[in-house]
Amino acid sequence: MTADALALLLTPQVLAAMAGAALAGLIVGALPGLTATLGMALLIPVAVTLDPVPALAAAMTLAAVSIAAGDLPGALLGIPGTPASAAYADAAHRMARRGHAGRALAAGLVCAALGGVTGAVVLWLGAPVLATLALHVSTVERAWLALLGLSAAAAVAGPSPVRGALALLIGLSLALVGLDPVSGQPRLTFGLAVLSGGLGLVPVLVGLFAVTRVLRQALTGGMAADAPRPTALGPVLSGLCPILARRWRALATGSAVGLVVGAVPGAGADVAAYLARAAAGRRRPARGAADVDDADLDAIVPAGAANNAAIGGALVPATVLGLPGDSLTAIVIGLLMLKGVTPGPAVFVIQPTLMTAVVLAYLLANLLLVPAGLLAMALARPLLRVPDAILMPLVLGLALIGVYAVEGTTTALVVTVVVGLLGVGMEAARLPLAPAVLGFVLGPMVEEAALVSLMKSGGDPAVFVGRPLAAVLAGVTVAVWVVPWIAPRIVRRVGRRRRTRALKR
Amino acid sequence: MTVPGVRPERVAGGMAILAGGGMILAARTLAPLPHLPMGPGVAPTVIGVGLLVTGVLLLVRRGATAARDGAVRSASCPGSLPTSRRWGLFTLTLGLPLFVALTLETFGMAIGLGLVLAPLLAMQTRRPVWAVGLAVAVSALLVGLVHGGLGRPLPNGPLPRVSALLGPTGR
Amino acid sequence: MGEGRAGMSAGERERRWARWGARLAACVAVLTAVVSGGIGTAHAEWPERPVTLIVPSGAGGGTDQTGRLLAAALEERFGQPFTVVNQGQGGGVVGIRAIRDAPPDGYTLGILYNFAHYKALGQADFEPADFTPIAQYNFDPAAVQVRADAPWPDLPAALEALRADPETYPVACAGGCGGSWPMAIASLFATEGVDLARVRMIPSQGAAASLQDLVAGGVAVVPCSLPEARGLLQAGMVRALAVFGEERQPAFPDVPTVAETMGEARALGAWRGVVGPAGLPEKVAGRLETAMDAIVHDPAFREAMAAGGFGLAWRDATAFEAFMAAEAEAVRTLIPRLGL
């Protein structure tokens, strides 16, 4: 069967479709404003004209490549290309400013490939088992997961918890604009009907990072105290093996978090990246001769692995139960159905060859990621020498047309610019930007899941710990907050007791 | 960008308090959900309280803490007060996209992008002719990529023929 | 950049700017002249440029899939691209508003679905009169889904339980209360004596989310279409008690109709049609209606719709207009009783 699937896959038509999709994925991922979801939506009309295997293989390639390509502008310009890479764009950009852009990008690429391969293998071997996870997640568990995600904001908050919290709250506030997710009442729209669709993730992301960056350059002219943009990639692949070998645990954690979060309906690659960074990032003690990049690589490795593993995770409930985990897989389901494949538990039984071919295509796409990424880095190299005076207006133009391509409204353009101004204000007050994106993504999720759970119980808050999985998640969430606060005290007390005992002897 | 004597985090704290208060007031106008004493007002209230608390914390923080944080993150804090030319560039960078957004249906995306790019490039490079050329080339390229290549419809403005030249879309 | 010119005097620079401004003005003037000439000759025969088809939902859903099938078929018939634009923000409000507010020149059309509740719930002010009806092409009857281990063998048993104890069994509103599926089951509740003011209607982002919550034990009843539940029905995790169509669905012969079980004919569910903004030229609307008639009765299109699990329906412009008006009226009376 695997041989048959490979024969289906390794045809010139399929490989050409995958190469084309990889190129398209690089473009939509690397350009701020164009997202992986948009790329997938644009693929549909093309895919309609293709045979099932090339169509689905192209979709898998596009998803994998575009998510990974979002790292490129994130590292080089500090402007993440997709929401999923916003979780660690700050770390990658810091490395780039130290002249290690190549290493940051290569680490991100290889981790994305490894995370994606993990996702593909799990999808291939263990889909039915992992799919049962989705069957235990009701709104109560979703509320806890989203709260857990918000707790991950601490990982990206920077040195000041208060400023991190304010940034998170700004993101949460921006998400309030529009029709509320439960009853549909207009909220904070200031009477403007055009705001009832909300501000939109893409305008907020592009405004906060791209427009803010352009406005800041206009103010400082790139000549002030602001650290300069990297002008060279630096080492790319050299020294990568020991870096990753030392972080295999973070890599594994990232992949696992990505898989699980991806498989949970409603949460996607962006949430997975933030959570993975939080889950893996804290427990690394500095070991031996510390490298300046250590802390940043600790963020890039798990998050880079998680956001690609999440695609594999999300494909599990999508193919086995017909339940989309995020907007990307919703499109995959649509494509499958257009190609006459009905997602369901029997899908691997009814159409084993086709489905195996799809999974193998996803595996191959993740392997293709590394050469495609290296090629993109080579192409981006001349871009590094373009001075800010020219590059920044171009980034602004790109941001505007990208936002319009995704949202299709002039309101979105206004929102982008205004949010960009907000970002300048936030930077002036030295507030980090990344927590705001996390707040914007997760705020509505927490609110909807929590309120809907209360509606079911008639207002009884016991519902939040009434189910086994919910109780476990509640415990984890509480532990995330309490343990870092209590643990040092316990350690100190135990240490003191030991010392007194030693003194007695 | 920074005005001497006014600490930006104090300003941010004050604005957070104002926004938090406004949010709590706005939340009171929202009707609760059926069968529940609460509803869409909960989230704005909670966030509003959070904004109030963080705002107060930012206002009352001891200077020493702020200075320590400042030393850590000074990289993202722009230095000297910009010249009037910089403020002009900033205003244009902000104003041109807004103007183009509001007149998008009139001018279309291709001309609109040119209207944003040409003055900004000209002002930054001080080579107007070259800047206009680059702006036209880049606008055409971007519109060609998004409209022709990706098949997203963009407002044509007074240039219907140009979009026809870019070939059939939607494929 | 520009360092070499830093020595330029301020006056010289100003003159330079002025000269450049004049040049730009001249360019704009020429361009405008050329273009307005272009517009003068532009009114040949519709469609002489690409048509935008607004789909007020995200990519990948049912409205999107059927919209794309239609766009391909229309493209074939008119020889111009019909470009699908997804605007699913705000539960469809943004996309539907974009259709309504578009210039009625035939170059912006849209897919419309059950939209009467937006006004009734105060989310938007759409009226059937805001649109030029062209044709309805799709109807999917709602079906009642419960968990496989639910204690009810059939629909009357489930209704009996809900009548006795409406607060114990939450009912999902896939895609928001007021949409096609919850309205179908709410009108059944209304005639069967289930207390609408007490039954717990639980909103969700869509049928998939509701079904997932059903299996996870979060809700007890999910009204949605049978194809949407196909994966879970096949897995044996979900049972369909009845379908609201006039007859059984060919793909699901085991699911009885509500009429069979309750002795009362009902065809309630989700519909989709093509509309333009109000005031579309009659000639354009007429050509579109003729094309839609041919498309909906074209075997290739019917096959593609069936493959995606979508039901076919045909209402011409007049019938579609009457249908939308009747539906708006029904929803307006039902929603207040739900206490929404």
Side-chain angles (χ1 to χ4, degrees):
Chain A
M1 185 180 72
T2 312
D4 291 349
L6 270 178
L8 269 182
L9 198 60
L10 298 176
T11 63
Q13 197 204 0
V14 176
L15 295 179
M18 286 180 75
L23 188 68
L26 277 181
I27 294 174
V28 295
L31 298 186
L34 306 180
T35 58
T37 311
L38 173 73
M40 291 289 278
L42 295 174
L43 183 72
I44 297 176
V46 183
V48 169
T49 63
L50 295 173
D51 290 335
V53 176
L56 292 165
M60 298 293 147
T61 314
L62 195 125
V65 174
S66 53
I67 290 278
D71 295 359
L72 205 61
L76 298 182
L77 303 174
I79 304 170
T82 59
S85 49
Y88 51 98
D90 58 336
H93 190 51
R94 269 198 302 271
M95 276 182 71
R97 286 198 302 221
R98 280 184 222 116
H100 296 162
R103 180 166 293 163
L105 284 169
L109 259 183
V110 174
C111 291
L114 290 173
V117 167
T118 317
V121 170
V122 170
L123 176 61
W124 193 8
L125 302 177
V129 181
L130 195 59
T132 57
L133 180 75
L135 303 179
H136 296 284
V137 178
S138 176
T139 49
V140 184
E141 289 83 4
R142 279 241 308 280
W144 283 115
L145 271 173
L147 268 181
L148 200 57
L150 281 184
S151 313
V156 288
S160 162
V162 177
R163 291 202 207 110
L166 183 52
L168 187 71
L169 286 164
I170 290 175
L172 290 169
S173 311
L174 293 179
L176 287 177
V177 177
L179 301 182
D180 93 84
V182 181
S183 72
Q185 290 184 57
R187 196 164 58 176
L188 296 185
T189 55
F190 307 102
L192 298 170
V194 288
L195 284 181
S196 52
L199 300 183
L201 177 57
V202 172
V204 167
L205 182 79
V206 171
L208 220 44
F209 287 97
V211 178
T212 297
R213 177 84 173 80
V214 174
L215 284 171
R216 194 178 57 196
Q217 187 269 339
L219 270 184
T220 62
M223 57 175 186
D226 202 3
R229 212 152 52 81
T231 52
L233 287 177
V236 178
L237 288 177
S238 66
L240 197 61
C241 277
I243 286 176
L244 295 183
R246 248 182 292 143
R247 289 175 180 78
W248 67 270
R249 213 185 281 267
L251 190 60
T253 311
S255 302
V257 168
L259 271 173
V260 171
V261 173
V264 170
D270 34 18
V271 179
Y274 279 99
L275 262 181
R277 182 176 170 177
R282 282 200 186 159
R283 61 176 79 119
R284 266 199 60 81
R287 197 184 300 172
D291 188 335
V292 281
D293 293 335
D294 260 349
D296 293 330
L297 283 167
D298 283 344
I300 296 171
V301 166
N307 63 13
N308 266 45
I311 302 173
L315 282 171
V316 171
T319 51
V320 180
L321 300 170
L323 300 172
D326 59 3
S327 50
L328 262 184
T329 41
I331 299 173
V332 173
I333 292 183
L335 260 182
L336 282 169
M337 298 197 44
L338 276 177
K339 292 295 162 198
V341 182
T342 309
V347 72
F348 281 92
V349 181
I350 296 171
Q351 283 165 311
T353 322
L354 178 65
M355 285 312 291
T356 310
V358 170
V359 174
L360 287 177
Y362 180 59
L363 191 76
L364 190 62
N366 277 294
L367 297 175
L368 202 76
L369 209 58
V370 179
L374 291 177
L375 178 73
M377 282 160 70
L379 293 178
R381 209 182 278 264
L383 204 72
L384 290 174
R385 281 195 290 277
V386 177
D388 266 1
I390 294 168
L391 192 64
M392 285 302 139
L394 300 190
V395 168
L396 182 64
L398 197 57
L400 293 177
I401 199 169
V403 165
Y404 193 85
V406 174
E407 296 278 319
T409 62
T410 50
T411 316
L413 294 180
V414 177
V415 168
T416 308
V417 177
V418 172
V419 171
L421 186 63
L422 176 72
V424 172
M426 286 172 70
E427 290 206 324
R430 286 180 284 151
L431 303 178
L433 299 178
V437 176
L438 186 69
F440 190 83
V441 171
L442 284 176
M445 206 173 138
V446 177
E447 184 189 6
E448 192 212 343
L451 278 182
V452 162
S453 305
L454 282 175
M455 280 178 88
K456 289 177 192 164
S457 74
D460 182 4
V463 68
F464 287 112
V465 286
R467 295 156 51 102
L469 186 57
V472 171
L473 285 170
V476 172
T477 312
V478 173
V480 164
W481 286 101
V482 172
V483 168
W485 185 73
I486 284 186
R489 282 153 218 260
I490 294 178
V491 169
R492 222 179 298 147
R493 178 166 298 178
V494 171
R496 209 182 298 146
R497 207 170 287 163
R498 243 182 237 150
R499 241 174 293 138
T500 42
R501 218 176 291 153
L503 278 177
K504 271 179 195 161
R505 262 183 226 150
Chain B
M1 176 135 99
T2 47
V3 182
V6 181
R7 279 233 301 284
E9 46 272 274
R10 292 259 158 108
V11 180
M15 287 175 78
I17 291 174
L18 283 181
M23 199 99 80
I24 294 170
L25 287 183
R28 297 167 65 97
T29 62
L30 294 159
L33 287 167
H35 317 303
L36 277 185
M38 56 183 104
V42 179
T45 309
V46 172
I47 295 169
V49 170
L51 283 171
L52 280 181
V53 171
T54 45
V56 169
L57 281 177
L58 278 182
L59 276 185
V60 302
R61 259 145 71 94
R62 283 169 296 126
T65 328
R68 198 186 59 212
D69 291 346
V72 178
R73 277 190 58 94
S74 65
S76 72
C77 183
S80 58
L81 200 72
T83 62
S84 59
R85 188 184 172 81
R86 293 263 156 238
W87 278 111
L89 183 61
F90 181 81
T91 313
L92 271 187
T93 311
L94 201 61
L96 284 174
L98 283 178
F99 171 74
V100 165
L102 298 176
T103 57
L104 195 66
E105 292 302 323
T106 320
F107 288 114
M109 185 55 95
I111 294 179
L113 273 184
L115 286 180
V116 172
L117 290 177
L120 290 183
L121 284 169
M123 207 160 161
Q124 295 232 13
T125 63
R126 299 179 207 170
R127 286 156 75 182
V129 178
W130 188 84
V132 171
L134 184 66
V136 170
V138 170
S139 306
L141 184 79
L142 285 180
V143 171
L145 177 75
V146 172
H147 191 91
L150 301 178
R152 302 299 282 183
L154 299 171
N156 294 316
L159 293 175
R161 305 262 156 197
V162 172
S163 89
L165 283 180
L166 286 168
T169 57
R171 268 166 235 276
Chain C
M1 288 281 103
E3 290 85 355
R5 297 183 185 261
M8 195 164 45
S9 79
E12 196 181 327
R13 202 179 300 145
E14 233 158 68
R15 273 196 300 282
R16 213 166 230 288
W17 275 94
R19 228 180 304 147
W20 175 68
R23 249 180 248 160
L24 186 71
C27 282
V28 169
V30 169
L31 215 61
T32 318
V34 167
V35 159
S36 44
I39 286 177
T41 58
H43 290 289
E45 171 90 327
W46 179 91
E48 44 102 47
R49 59 184 165 92
V51 178
T52 299
L53 186 69
I54 295 179
V55 167
S57 78
T63 306
D64 180 54
Q65 285 181 49
T66 59
R68 283 175 194 278
L69 287 173
L70 263 189
L74 286 166
E75 197 167 316
E76 207 171 284
R77 259 154 240 269
F78 287 109
Q80 280 287 351
F82 277 66
T83 313
V84 170
V85 174
N86 294 101
Q87 293 204 328
Q89 305 99 315
V93 167
V94 172
I96 297 177
R97 181 174 293 116
I99 302 171
R100 183 190 68 180
D101 295 345
D105 55 6
Y107 291 101
T108 309
L109 305 170
I111 307 286
L112 201 58
Y113 45 77
N114 311 50
F115 68 96
H117 58 285
Y118 293 120
K119 187 175 165 69
L121 290 170
Q123 297 173 2
D125 52 356
F126 309 130
E127 295 276 6
D130 291 336
F131 306 97
T132 304
I134 292 166
Q136 180 191 340
Y137 64 93
N138 157 259
F139 174 75
D140 286 314
V144 183
Q145 269 74 230
V146 296
R147 237 188 335 276
D149 58 3
W152 315 305
D154 53 16
L155 187 59
L159 285 171
E160 184 53 51
L162 272 159
R163 241 193 314 268
D165 206 355
E167 272 137 7
T168 313
Y169 305 105
V171 178
C173 301
C177 295
S180 46
W181 309 136
M183 279 300 107
I185 202 156
S187 72
L188 180 69
F189 288 167
T191 50
E192 293 301 322
V194 177
D195 190 349
L196 284 179
R198 280 169 69 208
V199 72
R200 284 185 182 145
M201 302 293 280
I202 307 298
S204 86
Q205 294 299 322
S210 284
L211 285 166
Q212 192 254 322
D213 207 8
L214 176 70
V215 208
V219 290
V221 179
V222 174
C224 70
S225 84
L226 286 167
E228 283 172 318
R230 188 182 301 185
L232 292 167
L233 285 169
Q234 277 178 359
M237 292 165 180
V238 160
R239 266 187 305 138
L241 295 181
V243 59
F244 279 85
E246 269 144 14
E247 50 201 42
R248 293 188 179 203
Q249 296 287 293
F252 301 89
D254 300 336
V255 181
T257 63
V258 174
E260 287 173 48
T261 50
M262 312 290 305
E264 199 182 340
R266 279 164 199 279
L268 294 171
W271 54 266
R272 298 183 178 101
V274 179
V275 299
L280 206 62
E282 256 168 55
K283 208 173 146 211
V284 172
R287 286 186 61 196
L288 277 164
E289 190 184 349
T290 314
M292 285 296 298
D293 194 354
I295 290 168
V296 174
H297 297 99
D298 174 15
F301 180 78
R302 300 184 78 89
E303 203 177 300
M305 287 283 282
F310 303 107
L312 282 146
W314 171 250
R315 277 197 178 93
D316 63 15
T318 324
F320 187 29
E321 187 168 20
F323 170 75
M324 284 201 291
E327 199 221 27
E329 190 50 43
V331 170
R332 223 191 310 279
T333 52
L334 198 52
I335 279 193
R337 297 186 57 191
L338 275 172
L340 292 171

